[in-house]
Amino acid sequence: MRTTEETRLPQPDLDTVEIGTVLQALADPVRLRIVRLLGDLGEAPCGGLDLPVKRSTVSHHLRTLRESGLVETRLRGNTRVSRIRGEELDRRFPGLLTAVLGAAPAVPRDRGEAGGDEGRARSEAGD
């Protein structure tokens, strides 16, 4: 039986990562979607993530997520497989990952919808 050697790419010790770094990484919609997908899939290669951007862009976002401490990436042959650092993140930032993965995506509003930003600004001004 042949064994596959895996190598983990460099990642920060989560004890040295600030919450702002993690939140900044999650602020990008594509990266947030990647984290949600990895939460559903468990782990996936770059090409295994169904995203509306080029593979090179996905690779860039995965690198950012890894460097911010959210994702671990291992080399499996020629493939880079990523997963969320769930247990480690829960120890460092209790509840954060649960909140991120459980949050409902925003629903875009129609620009002409009553009560939008313009209506809210008028209400606040007393009009």
Side-chain angles (χ1 to χ4, degrees), residues 82 86 95 103 116-117 121 126-127:
S82 298
D117 289 340
D127 293 339

PDB file of all heavy atoms in Angstrom, residues 82 86 95 103 116-117 121 126-127:
ATOM      1  N   SER A  82      -7.572  22.550   1.703  1.00  0.00           N
ATOM      2  CA  SER A  82      -7.766  23.488   2.808  1.00  0.00           C
ATOM      3  C   SER A  82      -8.938  23.071   3.681  1.00  0.00           C
ATOM      4  O   SER A  82      -9.889  22.464   3.215  1.00  0.00           O
ATOM      5  CB  SER A  82      -8.029  24.897   2.265  1.00  0.00           C
ATOM      6  OG  SER A  82      -6.920  25.353   1.530  1.00  0.00           O
ATOM      7  N   GLY A  86     -11.065  24.837  12.940  1.00  0.00           N
ATOM      8  CA  GLY A  86     -12.219  24.955  13.821  1.00  0.00           C
ATOM      9  C   GLY A  86     -11.939  24.892  15.306  1.00  0.00           C
ATOM     10  O   GLY A  86     -12.289  25.821  16.053  1.00  0.00           O
ATOM     11  N   GLY A  95     -17.018  31.022  20.018  1.00  0.00           N
ATOM     12  CA  GLY A  95     -18.278  31.406  19.402  1.00  0.00           C
ATOM     13  C   GLY A  95     -18.168  32.122  18.078  1.00  0.00           C
ATOM     14  O   GLY A  95     -19.157  32.241  17.357  1.00  0.00           O
ATOM     15  N   ALA A 103     -24.619  32.640  10.488  1.00  0.00           N
ATOM     16  CA  ALA A 103     -25.257  33.889  10.088  1.00  0.00           C
ATOM     17  C   ALA A 103     -25.887  33.763   8.705  1.00  0.00           C
ATOM     18  O   ALA A 103     -25.277  33.234   7.775  1.00  0.00           O
ATOM     19  CB  ALA A 103     -24.234  35.022  10.084  1.00  0.00           C
ATOM     20  N   GLY A 116     -35.888  52.419   2.542  1.00  0.00           N
ATOM     21  CA  GLY A 116     -34.469  52.221   2.276  1.00  0.00           C
ATOM     22  C   GLY A 116     -33.657  53.309   2.960  1.00  0.00           C
ATOM     23  O   GLY A 116     -34.150  54.024   3.833  1.00  0.00           O
ATOM     24  N   ASP A 117     -32.413  53.461   2.564  1.00  0.00           N
ATOM     25  CA  ASP A 117     -31.533  54.440   3.195  1.00  0.00           C
ATOM     26  C   ASP A 117     -32.085  55.856   3.101  1.00  0.00           C
ATOM     27  O   ASP A 117     -32.013  56.625   4.041  1.00  0.00           O
ATOM     28  CB  ASP A 117     -30.135  54.393   2.575  1.00  0.00           C
ATOM     29  CG  ASP A 117     -29.383  53.130   2.969  1.00  0.00           C
ATOM     30  OD1 ASP A 117     -29.770  52.502   3.980  1.00  0.00           O
ATOM     31  OD2 ASP A 117     -28.425  52.781   2.266  1.00  0.00           O
ATOM     32  N   ALA A 121     -33.096  58.149   6.234  1.00  0.00           N
ATOM     33  CA  ALA A 121     -32.470  59.449   6.467  1.00  0.00           C
ATOM     34  C   ALA A 121     -33.534  60.515   6.673  1.00  0.00           C
ATOM     35  O   ALA A 121     -33.397  61.390   7.546  1.00  0.00           O
ATOM     36  CB  ALA A 121     -31.565  59.821   5.282  1.00  0.00           C
ATOM     37  N   GLY A 126     -36.616  63.887  10.724  1.00  0.00           N
ATOM     38  CA  GLY A 126     -37.899  64.374  11.181  1.00  0.00           C
ATOM     39  C   GLY A 126     -38.826  64.766  10.053  1.00  0.00           C
ATOM     40  O   GLY A 126     -39.817  65.424  10.273  1.00  0.00           O
ATOM     41  N   ASP A 127     -38.491  64.434   8.821  1.00  0.00           N
ATOM     42  CA  ASP A 127     -39.360  64.754   7.663  1.00  0.00           C
ATOM     43  C   ASP A 127     -40.499  63.791   7.556  1.00  0.00           C
ATOM     44  O   ASP A 127     -40.461  62.671   7.784  1.00  0.00           O
ATOM     45  CB  ASP A 127     -38.557  64.750   6.365  1.00  0.00           C
ATOM     46  CG  ASP A 127     -37.547  65.884   6.307  1.00  0.00           C
ATOM     47  OD1 ASP A 127     -37.743  66.858   7.057  1.00  0.00           O
ATOM     48  OD2 ASP A 127     -36.590  65.801   5.539  1.00  0.00           O
TER      49      ASP A 127
END
